Amino acid sequence: MKSELTILKIGGSVITDKSEGAYEKLKEVELKEVCRAMSENWKNLILVHGAGSFGHPHVRRFGLSPLGASKVHLGCLRLSERFCSVLTEFDVPAYPIHPFLIYSAEIVEKALRNGFLPVLHGDVVMNERIEVLSGDDIVVHLAEAFKAKRIGFATDVDGVYLNGNVVEKLDRNMLEKMLAEIGESEGKEDVTGGMLRKLQRLYEMGHKCSAYVFKGNYENLKKFLQGEKVGTEVII
Ligand code: IP8
């Protein structure tokens, strides 16, 4: 049975400066706009955000030894703290969940049941070894666990590009063409793969629902949260 749940990922590039050399640079104005849009429509929602320049440069700089992972996590924590603080300034009861400490569908469900907005983020995690867990993977996992109705990826681009144009609807066959078109996100310190990897994860997902990739500005976020189509619709 499908739920009414929406999962929204705010890409790190929406709320932080990820340009070459940028380190823990918050985009204050954009963060406020994101939180303003969310404050108008956050029920039945799980929020996930990327690490941006509070995580990717750290992985490169410190690595994933216990000490490195500790430093990476603390960077992610600083961004989560800022995001959740601004959400509460907009009267949204953010419930921060840090995957390095605890991560399960149960804790997310408990937060939802108690009237919170669960806020998760890309982080380091301890599995067989210490590794990076992308917010994109969290989205896919939670979409499967909750049988989400809609998924949104708010990014710093208008949607998925093919031959220089934003694609309105993207299907599995078009992904092949995109392999040549997209490649790695240029000039960005991204250790988890960028747009192409995001799309691959969606197509690997064991749950069918509508997904959208769009520019994470106030108007688009508002539209998406109201259930409207925005940016590129990914047909999974
Ligand atoms: O920005 C990456 O998460 P993402 C997490 O959602 C770290 O891919 C620690 C770089």
Side-chain angles (χ1 to χ4, degrees), residues 9 11-12 18 48-52 54-57 59 72-73 76 121-124 132-136 190-193 201:
K9 182 184 175 199
K18 280 179 78 177
V48 180
H49 65 82
F54 286 70
H56 291 266
V59 175
V72 174
H73 169 67
C76 299
H121 55 86
D123 203 346
V124 277
V132 173
L133 175 68
S134 166
D136 294 348
D190 205 333
V191 295
T192 47
R201 283 176 175 112

Side-chain angles (χ1 to χ4, degrees), residues 35 57 63 113 143 145 153 168:
C35 294
R113 193 160 22 90
F153 288 98
E168 208 177 305

Side-chain angles (χ1 to χ4, degrees), residues 124-170:
V124 277
V125 285
M126 289 179 283
N127 292 326
E128 298 287 294
R129 54 195 164 84
I130 300 169
E131 54 195 20
V132 173
L133 175 68
S134 166
D136 294 348
D137 288 325
I138 297 176
V139 169
V140 167
H141 172 238
L142 292 179
E144 288 171 339
F146 288 95
K147 308 234 176 305
K149 190 176 178 199
R150 306 176 89 227
I151 298 177
F153 288 98
T155 70
D156 63 344
V157 290
D158 288 322
V160 179
Y161 281 83
L162 188 61
N163 302 326
N165 299 311
V166 174
V167 181
E168 208 177 305
K169 280 183 194 237
L170 183 95

Side-chain angles (χ1 to χ4, degrees), residues 3-19:
S3 72
E4 286 304 304
L5 201 89
T6 297
I7 303 179
L8 172 63
K9 182 184 175 199
I10 305 291
S13 55
V14 176
I15 50 170
T16 77
D17 180 354
K18 280 179 78 177
S19 58

Side-chain angles (χ1 to χ4, degrees), residues 150-151 158 168-169 210-214 219-235:
R150 306 176 89 227
I151 298 177
D158 288 322
E168 208 177 305
K169 280 183 194 237
S210 35
Y212 299 87
V213 178
F214 57 92
E219 287 306 326
N220 283 346
L221 284 164
K222 211 177 141 157
K223 276 191 192 164
F224 173 75
L225 292 169
Q226 281 170 347
E228 291 173 35
K229 289 180 189 231
V230 62
T232 297
E233 183 179 2
V234 182
I235 314 292

Side-chain angles (χ1 to χ4, degrees), residues 103-122:
Y103 171 58
S104 67
E106 285 72 29
I107 185 89
V108 175
E109 197 274 326
K110 195 172 173 186
L112 284 168
R113 193 160 22 90
N114 282 280
F116 291 98
L117 170 70
V119 182
L120 299 100
H121 55 86

